Amino acid sequence: MRKNVLAADLVACGTLAFPQSGPTVDQRVDDLLKQMTTEEKIGQLSQLFDFGDPKPIEAEVAKGHLGSLLFVTDPAVINRFQHMAVEQTRLHIPLIFGFDVIHGFRTIFPVPIAMAASWDPAGALKAQTIAAREARAVGIHWAFAPMLDIARDPRWGRMVEGAGEDPYLGAAMAAAQVRGFQGEAIGSPEHLLATMKHFAGYGAAEGGRDYDASYISEAQLRNVYLPPFEAAVKAGVGSVMSAYMDLNDVPATGNRWLMHDVLRDEWKFQGFVVSDANAVKSLVTHGFAKDERDATVRALNAGVDMEMAIGATAYSTNLAAALKAGDVTLKQIEDADRNILAMKFRMGLFEHPYVDEAAAAKTLATPEHRTAARVAAERSAVLLRNEGGLLPLKKGAYSKIAVVGPLADSQVDTLGSWAFQEDLTETVTVMAGLRTNAITEGRVTYAQGVQISRKFPSFFDEIFKLKQPAPWNSKHETDEFNKAASLARASDLTILVLGEAQNMSGEAASRDSLSLPGRQEELMKAVTALGKPVVLVLMNGRPLDLRFAADRVPAILEVWYPGTQGGTAVANLLSGEAVPGGKLPFTWPRSEGQIPINYSHNTTQAPEEQGKRYWAEESTPLYPFGFGLSYSKFSFSNLKVAGRIVTAQVENTGTVAADEVAQLYIHQKYGGASRPVRELKGFERVTHAPHERKTVGFEVKDDDLKYWSAAKKAWVLESSMFDVWVGADSTATLAGSFSN
Ligand code: BGC
């Protein structure tokens, strides 16, 4: 019997547990604290951005009044700051350098939602191991990832940065990424400190509008939003980032219940908490704190150890006065220092503060890293439709292939958001990948067709000055559209590469609509109307309104933002060198009017009408959670439930070696609260040779059956009957049951 992948397994294996604070570290921290002035103690609690003007930062570093810097990525600059911190200050305390290492550093992996779609925690672990190795090589110590926010509203742009809608899948990806970043234990060579973010509830922003308030009941918070965070703590995550928004009217960054009662008292978290950028100062903006000094006091009281800010931190400006006035105690400041300094010791920064500048470049983007990025992109693709077996493309069947769309040959869009250190010369677009693929080379011609852009620019566009091409005028627009349509007409097959540009999906990239931006839908309709075969390759970080395509475009392949080697991976998938095996990590709605929609809803009155709740449109999703096709076919049979052990047979009934993700769902039939119709409680991605049959097995543990009871304000494990399903997605029909 094969073992299923459970978040708990990842936590349990190896020496993942957070290293207990040994006497040496505690002793060293105490010794240091005894020597520190109050100013130095306050200084450790600040983290500043380096956006290119080093002067004000240098002044703080030289005085020993700064704990950390973020956004420095040049090893020479890192060493320069570090030499100042270590050699010019009284106590030689090193800085800890942080960066948004989200899905790769130089070698960019598929975006996090894509990694979740691979249903392959081991793959995510490997990707973040490589990301850590590259970032550490330039002197970075600390990654602001993984983002563990459950996202059930795809209007929210940051869905792309997380693992989607499900707490169980989210917990498995969380634990894997923490382990990838940190290695066996905090301080492992070539690894980083990880940050679980954004604590907590950020994904439930009202209307999907980034930064807007979240209202989440405690039961929903405990049962849905918090499990990935708890899994990360169990996996030993070293730091936490507090979220921006109000959670039930209390800003997360001023929320003592979250950062103290839950995080430290219940979960026994031993690392340190950093605020999100400027989130302490914005406690004033929320109408929560009276002024920045009040914000400082309330954030520290709530449990924010380090403040991240642009310019000066509120802590550095206000803590001394707050201490003098008795609004905070020295012990509070020292406790925050303890959390931070212990981590600097554990990371080995006192022994090894500097980075080897000469060696740094050698580690970046090695062929091995690029291969891993390609494999990850292949494993994360989800085949949504394949009528008539159009894919994989038959060798020699098409002599002229049109490659059309605004994302087909755009390197920055292939990478997705949060890619700052990429090398575009290494970045392969879909068009570039097809040009060199054995099946398509010499046959492909490209036309962009349409241009897509945001109405309101992203602040990332401004900060990082991404090159935005000049907008086309209306004549140019018509010409390009017609050129693409003519190219499709003159070809035997069109590969449309559509979706959202990278700056349309990410932070500050929320939308009121799920439509394909710009004239892409029109272009798709024009090309489809030609009556020739069409393949739609989608690049996006959220579900889009695909109702036309789902009905009329024969093949749809979701490739997300696939990263540095994305184009090669997509070409391999289209040509059959790689077989899609990814599954959706969220429920795909038909239109934005269905939001929120997720598979683990409760059943209430008239469940037989569940698909007809709206009178004008189905209320079922377009594609269910966990869904994804293959070039092969799989069947599930022989479900056996013996106590809490559930087994089933998975057979590849087709002729192609391929992967299937066996998924286990359960449902508690009655009890102290209505429970969701289904909840994922196990999964395993298994590779099958043609006609191979394998048995998958899952053990349902107590933790899988427990839920947070709003009535009892506690976790409960009730006596009840439980339905069980095993299958290829959340609509699996192979069923059994057990009682508890
Ligand atoms: C984001 C964080 C990020 C931080 C530092 C913030 O705007 O919300 O996720 O880590 O910036 O770049």
Side-chain angles (χ1 to χ4, degrees), residues 379-455:
R379 289 175 72 79
S380 64
V382 182
L383 183 65
L384 295 175
R385 194 165 195 249
N386 196 17
E387 287 303 293
L390 177 58
L391 294 178
L393 300 175
K394 315 277 170 301
K395 197 170 180 203
Y398 309 100
S399 54
K400 276 180 155 183
I401 302 175
V403 181
V404 169
L407 306 175
D409 205 20
S410 162
Q411 290 176 310
V412 285
D413 294 316
T414 304
L415 298 173
S417 67
W418 293 111
F420 303 127
Q421 294 300 310
E422 80 284 3
D423 182 343
L424 290 182
T425 62
E426 293 158 358
T427 303
V428 186
T429 65
V430 171
M431 183 59 193
L434 289 167
R435 255 194 217 111
T436 55
N437 184 277
I439 304 278
T440 47
E441 72 174 324
R443 296 156 199 256
V444 283
T445 314
Y446 164 69
Q448 183 176 332
V450 304
Q451 202 176 37
I452 54 175
S453 61
R454 292 173 56 129
K455 178 171 175 183

Side-chain angles (χ1 to χ4, degrees), residues 70-71 100 144 158 197-198 241 244 276 308 418 507:
L70 76 155
F71 267 85
D100 288 288
F144 303 124
R158 302 195 80 168
K197 71 183 189 186
H198 306 84
M241 187 185 289
Y244 276 131
D276 203 339
M308 177 195 290
W418 293 111
E507 185 176 354

Side-chain angles (χ1 to χ4, degrees), residues 550-595:
D551 190 41
R552 302 284 300 283
V553 177
I556 308 175
L557 183 68
E558 171 62 74
V559 302
W560 318 103
Y561 300 102
T564 300
Q565 289 291 302
T568 311
V570 172
N572 287 348
L573 288 156
L574 294 177
S575 64
E577 277 160 69
V579 179
K583 301 277 183 169
L584 292 177
F586 51 70
T587 302
W588 194 299
R590 292 166 193 276
S591 70
E592 55 275 352
Q594 290 185 321
I595 300 167

Side-chain angles (χ1 to χ4, degrees), residues 73-332:
T73 52
D74 178 339
V77 179
I78 287 181
N79 274 346
R80 191 165 53 78
F81 279 122
Q82 195 70 303
H83 276 288
M84 290 179 79
V86 173
E87 284 150 33
Q88 294 182 25
T89 65
R90 255 174 21 93
L91 296 171
H92 319 293
I93 304 175
L95 294 162
I96 180 164
F97 289 88
F99 192 64
D100 288 288
V101 185
I102 308 297
H103 54 115
F105 182 71
R106 162 79 166 268
T107 309
I108 304 296
F109 281 78
V111 288
I113 195 78
M115 296 304 291
S118 69
W119 293 59
D120 179 13
L125 189 156
K126 182 169 182 188
Q128 301 302 32
T129 304
I130 290 173
R133 189 182 301 145
E134 290 188 359
R136 190 67 194 249
V138 305
I140 288 163
H141 309 125
W142 177 20
F144 303 124
M147 188 195 93
L148 306 181
D149 297 302
I150 293 292
R152 295 187 158 192
D153 185 336
R155 290 173 296 184
W156 189 55
R158 302 195 80 168
M159 179 178 228
V160 65
E161 292 176 54
E165 80 180 44
D166 187 71
Y168 188 90
L169 179 61
M173 298 309 289
Q177 291 188 79
V178 168
R179 194 170 175 216
F181 281 125
Q182 296 189 166
E184 289 292 302
I186 286 170
S188 300
E190 301 196 314
H191 284 81
L192 303 174
L193 192 67
T195 311
M196 63 177 199
K197 71 183 189 186
H198 306 84
F199 198 58
Y202 184 30
E206 280 199 308
R209 293 176 294 270
D210 208 0
Y211 317 129
D212 274 5
S214 295
Y215 293 94
I216 312 175
S217 70
E218 188 172 358
Q220 278 281 299
L221 201 60
R222 300 275 192 176
N223 290 320
V224 178
Y225 289 87
L226 292 185
F229 290 100
E230 192 175 3
V233 171
K234 283 191 180 146
V237 72
S239 81
V240 175
M241 187 185 289
S242 68
Y244 276 131
M245 76 309 138
D246 284 342
L247 173 65
N248 301 329
D249 293 338
V250 179
T253 298
N255 199 316
R256 187 171 164 86
W257 176 77
L258 267 179
M259 289 183 286
H260 184 270
D261 299 3
V262 176
L263 184 66
R264 296 217 183 254
D265 279 359
E266 286 182 34
W267 296 351
K268 314 289 177 221
F269 171 70
Q270 297 176 51
F272 72 95
V273 177
V274 65
S275 75
D276 203 339
N278 288 339
V280 173
K281 293 190 248 184
S282 77
L283 294 180
V284 183
T285 317
H286 289 236
F288 180 73
K290 185 170 145 218
D291 50 27
E292 272 193 21
R293 179 153 145 201
D294 188 30
T296 300
V297 171
R298 294 172 82 163
L300 189 72
N301 276 335
V304 175
D305 300 309
M306 183 184 275
E307 179 190 353
M308 177 195 290
I310 300 172
T313 63
Y315 277 16
S316 65
T317 325
N318 298 286
L319 264 180
L323 178 66
K324 212 163 160 207
D327 295 336
V328 298
T329 63
L330 188 61
K331 178 167 183 315
Q332 280 183 283

Side-chain angles (χ1 to χ4, degrees), residues 31-45:
D31 284 352
L32 197 52
L33 272 171
K34 275 186 207 137
Q35 302 170 58
M36 288 167 80
T37 63
T38 303
E39 289 69 36
E40 286 162 345
K41 288 175 186 166
I42 290 173
Q44 282 301 309
L45 313 187

Side-chain angles (χ1 to χ4, degrees), residues 488-489 491-493 524-534 552 554:
R489 196 172 300 114
S491 305
D492 317 312
L493 167 84
M524 173 167 64
K525 286 179 174 161
V527 169
T528 310
L530 299 170
K532 300 183 179 191
V534 181
R552 302 284 300 283

